[in-house]
Amino acid sequence: MTPPESVEELAKLSIEELAQVEVTSVSKRAEPLASAPAALFVITQEEIRRSSATSLPEVLRNAPNLDVQRINARQYAISARGFNGYETANKLLAHIDGRSIYSTLAAQVFWELHNPILDDLQQIEVVSGPGGTLYGPNAVNGVINITSKSALDTIGGLARGHIGATDRNAGLRYGVALGNDGAGRIYANYFRRNGLPGGPAIDADDDYSGIQAGFRADFDAGRDRFTVQGDFFDTDTDLVKGDGEKGRNVLLRWGRTLSAESGFHVQAYYDQFQRDYLLVRDRLETFDVEAQFNAKVRNHTIIAGAGVRTTKDLFLNNLNPFRLTPNSERLWIVNGFLQDTWAIGPTLDLIAGVKLERSSFSGIEVLPNARIAWRPSKADFWWASISRAVRAPTRIDRDLNFLPLLATADDFKPEKLWAVEAGYRGQPTTRTQVSISLFFNHYDDLRTTELTAGALPIRLSNGLKGNSWGIEAWATHQLLPSWRLQFGIATLRKEFKFKENRVDLAKGESLGNDPQYRLMARSQIDLSPNVELDFGTRFVDGLKRPAVKGYVDADARLGWRITDQVELFVAGANLLHESRAESAYKNGGQLVERSVVAGTRVRF
C-alpha cells in the first residue's frame, strides 16, 4: 500500500488500512506492517501531530515497546527491553533518514542533538529485539528508524509555534517545486526549555535553548530517485557560559528501480557534532557510504548490501582526572550482509541472513538471524526468530583511565546476545488490530568493574551473564468512526549473575534501572469535523536500583482546526503531578514537571 501523502489522508485510514502501511525497518525493504516478522510499533504522522509532545524524545513515549526516562531539561535515556539509564542505555540503535545517530564514545544516543520540526516527520518505526543482521553491532535490543517527509510532500509553507510557562518553540518551513519531478524545502526550528527542579541530583541551572535548521530536496524521475538533505544545530545551556552543542550533517541518496521487484540504492553521509559541558569536550566526525541491492528470483526475495564507515573522535576532560588514551582516534568499519526470504509456500516464509563486520577497534563480528513467518489467513500472522547481536566495545570501555585507580582495558570484549522471539499480529475484528510478542534473551560478557589480580588499578571487564524475558503487546480499536482507542503493555524480568571468580565493584550498574512493567492507554476523539480531543495515560512500575517510585501520569491535547490552513491547540504533559522523579541518575537527574502549552499551526 502506498504511504498516505497527507495528514488528512492518513487520518481517514481504517484499522485494516493501517495494517497495510508500509514499513522498512524489519527487512530493509518496503513491506506491509501486517507482514513484518518482528515486534514493530509504528508512530504515524497523525499520531505525532495529535500527541501532546513538544520534542522528539517525548514523541517516543507513544511506543509501548520503549522505556523513556527524562533526565533533565535536555537529556533523556531511552531503551527497549531493559538496560535503561543515562549511562547504561547502550543497546539501542537509532537512525534518522538512514543516518546513524549513535555515538562511539559510550554507545549512546544523545537525543538533545536532534530537534526537527515534528510536523516534518513522516513516520517513526520502533523495532524491539535484535537487528544485527541488517543494522550491525549495537542493534542489540532494538532499532528506532525516524523518517522525514519527502520534499515532494511539503510544498508550501508551514509555521508552527507554542508557548507555555516552561516550554517555547517556533518553527518555520517552506517548500517549492523544482521542475516537474522535484521539490525542495528549507526549515528552521527554535526552542527554549526552562530548567527542571532538583531531584536525584542537586538543583542545577539546566535551562536549554537552541536552533536547528536545514534543507531537503527530492527528485523522482520514474526509475531514479535522488535525495539530498542536511541540517545544522547550535544549542546553549545556562550551566556554564559557552557550554552547548553544535553540529552539521549532509546526506545524499540515489535509488534506481530495475524492475517491479528489484532495485538498488547508494547512500553517503557526513555527520559532525561537538558537545561542550563542564570543562569536557566530546566531538565525533562520521563519514559513511553504503549500497543495497534487492531482487526477487523465483520464490526468493534477496537483499544484499555493503558499507564502509570511518569515525574520528576527540575527548578532552578538564573537569576531573579521567582520560581517554589516546584522546583522539580514527576507526574504520567495513561490513556486508545478505538476507533471503524464501517463500516455501503461499502462506509460509523462511527468512535467513547474516552480516559480517570488521572494525579496526574491535575486530570481526558475525551476526546471523533466522525467522519464520506464517500467514494462515488474511487477518492472522505468526512469526518466530532466533538472532545473535553484539554491543561493540566503546572508547569508554577500553580507553578510559585514571592511574593508579583505573587502567585501560584493551581486552574488553563485545557484549553478546542470543535472542529467541515469537509473535502474533492480526485483526480479530475489522475494528481491532493486535500485536503480541514474547522474547527470551541470553546475554554474555556484560560489563563489570573489577580489580586487577585483587588489587588496584581497577579495570572494566566482562564478568556478567544472564537472561531477561518478557511480553510486549498493543492493540488499536476503532470504537466509533470518530473514536479510536489504543492500549499497550510491556513486561521485563531479569536474572543475571557473575561468572566464576568474578565480581563487580559497580554492583551491576551496567544492567540499568528498569521498571518490570509499563501500561499505556490512549484515546483519539473527533468531537466534530474540526475539533479533536486526545488523551493518554501511562503507568510505569518503580525502579529498584536506586529506588524511584512508580507513577501514573497523563497527557492531553485539544485541537481546533479553524480552517484547512489554521489550527489552534492546547496540550498538557505530566498532568497528574506538579513534579515527580522519573530517573535515578545522580549526576544530573532532575524532577519532571507538569507542562501546559498553547500553540498554533498555520499552512500557507
Side-chain angles (χ1 to χ4, degrees):
M1 175 180 176
T2 302
E5 295 184 350
S6 67
V7 169
E8 292 75 13
E9 187 178 342
L10 181 58
K12 296 175 183 175
L13 292 181
S14 66
I15 291 294
E16 288 178 312
E17 290 169 328
L18 277 175
Q20 300 303 315
V21 166
E22 280 188 354
V23 296
T24 58
S25 296
V26 177
S27 304
K28 271 204 164 182
R29 60 179 172 82
E31 61 185 340
L33 171 62
S35 302
L40 169 63
F41 185 86
V42 177
I43 305 174
T44 66
Q45 161 60 25
E46 175 70 351
E47 289 167 339
I48 295 170
R49 185 185 69 85
R50 295 184 65 153
S51 95
S52 61
T54 58
S55 66
L56 179 57
E58 292 291 338
V59 171
L60 296 176
R61 291 189 193 272
N62 286 278
N65 50 348
L66 287 180
D67 179 33
V68 178
Q69 296 178 10
R70 188 170 190 179
I71 305 299
N72 50 45
R74 49 188 279 269
Q75 296 172 314
Y76 286 79
I78 300 176
S79 179
R81 298 185 178 177
F83 297 91
N84 207 6
Y86 187 68
E87 295 181 352
T88 59
N90 55 20
K91 296 174 179 60
L92 181 72
L93 202 63
H95 286 181
I96 296 179
D97 289 327
R99 174 174 55 87
S100 173
I101 57 173
Y102 154 89
S103 165
T104 57
L105 176 67
Q108 292 171 282
V109 175
F110 299 115
W111 292 100
E112 64 269 24
L113 306 185
H114 309 285
N115 294 279
I117 294 179
L118 297 180
D119 292 79
D120 285 351
L121 299 183
Q122 174 70 33
Q123 187 163 283
I124 300 175
E125 300 177 22
V126 180
V127 182
S128 42
T133 299
L134 298 179
Y135 295 94
N138 309 311
V140 178
N141 281 350
V143 177
I144 299 175
N145 270 327
I146 301 161
T147 55
S148 63
K149 294 177 180 176
S150 166
L152 295 163
D153 298 328
T154 56
I155 294 175
L158 170 77
R160 172 197 166 116
H162 68 251
I163 186 168
T166 60
D167 193 333
R168 280 137 283 172
N169 168 259
L172 181 64
R173 172 246 288 166
Y174 194 75
V176 298
L178 300 174
N180 295 327
D181 303 321
R185 68 168 180 258
I186 57 174
Y187 78 94
N189 191 37
Y190 168 80
F191 56 91
R192 180 167 185 83
R193 294 166 197 139
N194 288 7
L196 298 176
I202 61 171
D203 190 6
D205 187 3
D206 58 328
D207 285 9
Y208 181 53
S209 63
I211 186 169
Q212 177 171 317
F215 68 94
R216 173 166 175 160
D218 292 273
F219 299 87
D220 189 342
R223 294 180 61 198
D224 296 293
R225 301 168 304 283
F226 300 91
T227 297
V228 55
Q229 62 186 101
D231 312 276
F232 76 88
F233 61 88
D234 191 341
T235 69
D236 180 47
T237 61
D238 285 353
L239 191 58
V240 176
K241 187 177 181 180
D243 276 6
E245 299 103 1
K246 298 178 181 177
R248 54 190 173 170
N249 65 76
V250 62
L251 179 146
L252 302 167
R253 185 185 305 114
W254 167 45
R256 167 165 286 191
T257 300
L258 301 176
S259 70
E261 296 174 321
S262 67
F264 69 87
H265 79 254
V266 180
Q267 173 183 287
Y269 69 80
Y270 170 81
D271 189 311
Q272 184 266 335
F273 70 80
Q274 177 172 304
R275 304 185 306 135
D276 290 293
Y277 55 98
L278 292 177
L279 305 177
V280 175
R281 170 163 293 180
D282 168 32
R283 187 167 67 203
L284 179 66
E285 185 179 57
T286 303
F287 180 71
D288 182 286
V289 180
E290 69 168 39
Q292 179 180 311
F293 172 78
N294 64 281
K296 187 168 185 178
V297 182
R298 296 185 178 179
N299 53 351
H300 293 267
T301 301
I302 298 169
I303 300 176
V308 178
R309 177 180 300 174
T310 181
T311 62
K312 185 175 183 180
D313 58 34
L314 174 68
F315 185 79
L316 302 175
N317 182 4
N318 294 311
L319 177 66
N320 55 49
F322 289 90
R323 298 286 184 272
L324 286 186
T325 304
N327 61 20
S328 177
E329 185 162 6
R330 179 172 291 282
L331 310 181
W332 287 91
I333 298 171
V334 181
N335 69 77
F337 72 88
L338 176 66
Q339 179 160 293
D340 178 25
T341 301
W342 177 22
I344 298 174
T347 61
L348 188 65
D349 290 343
L350 178 64
I351 304 139
V354 65
K355 184 165 198 164
L356 301 178
E357 179 163 305
R358 186 186 185 284
S359 164
S360 61
F361 189 65
S362 56
I364 296 176
E365 288 296 339
V366 181
L367 303 168
N369 91 104
R371 296 174 186 268
I372 189 166
W374 178 43
R375 177 176 286 283
S377 71
K378 289 184 177 179
D380 301 294
F381 180 74
W382 298 84
W383 61 271
S385 70
I386 180 169
S387 314
R388 181 179 186 270
V390 302
R391 183 184 72 80
T394 66
R395 293 268 282 138
I396 292 284
D397 294 325
R398 286 189 170 181
D399 295 337
L400 187 68
N401 65 90
F402 170 28
L403 292 173
L405 179 63
L406 174 68
T408 57
D410 294 340
D411 57 349
F412 187 91
K413 296 181 287 188
E415 296 182 331
K416 303 173 183 67
L417 166 68
W418 276 102
V420 179
E421 302 173 88
Y424 167 81
R425 183 178 292 114
Q427 293 178 248
T429 75
T430 57
R431 293 185 175 187
T432 307
Q433 182 184 18
V434 176
S435 175
I436 304 171
S437 58
L438 298 86
F439 66 91
F440 179 86
N441 290 347
H442 175 70
Y443 298 92
D444 200 359
D445 290 332
L446 296 178
R447 187 170 69 192
T448 47
T449 305
E450 305 182 25
L451 294 169
T452 305
L456 291 177
I458 59 177
R459 302 172 74 247
L460 299 181
S461 188
N462 302 92
L464 271 168
K465 64 178 182 180
N467 307 313
S468 69
W469 60 93
I471 300 172
E472 295 164 339
W474 45 86
T476 303
H477 181 69
Q478 193 76 40
L479 187 63
L480 297 171
S482 59
W483 189 2
R484 181 172 294 179
L485 301 173
Q486 192 174 74
F487 305 93
I489 181 173
T491 73
L492 175 69
R493 299 301 298 269
K494 304 192 294 186
E495 190 174 273
F496 291 92
K497 62 182 180 181
F498 298 116
K499 297 182 181 181
E500 188 174 357
N501 300 322
R502 308 296 288 273
V503 296
D504 184 16
L505 301 179
K507 300 181 179 179
E509 190 176 83
S510 68
L511 301 176
N513 201 6
D514 305 300
Q516 288 195 359
Y517 54 92
R518 307 185 307 277
L519 303 169
M520 58 160 282
R522 294 193 176 278
S523 165
Q524 290 183 343
I525 306 177
D526 294 334
L527 298 177
S528 76
N530 297 321
V531 180
E532 304 162 338
L533 176 62
D534 304 294
F535 176 80
T537 184
R538 63 185 186 278
F539 174 69
V540 180
D541 186 32
L543 309 180
K544 293 184 177 178
R545 299 174 42 171
V548 176
K549 289 184 178 179
Y551 67 87
V552 179
D553 222 324
D555 307 327
R557 175 187 176 276
L558 178 66
W560 176 30
R561 195 174 301 177
I562 301 174
T563 68
D564 289 342
Q565 287 74 41
V566 180
E567 180 187 10
L568 303 178
F569 62 86
V570 177
N574 309 310
L575 295 173
L576 302 187
H577 301 271
E578 184 178 350
S579 65
R580 58 171 172 77
E582 191 165 287
S583 158
Y585 186 53
K586 294 183 178 178
N587 294 327
Q590 307 285 281
L591 298 179
V592 174
E593 282 189 312
R594 179 185 298 133
S595 170
V596 177
V597 302
T600 185
R601 180 184 288 108
V602 179
R603 303 175 190 276
F604 55 94

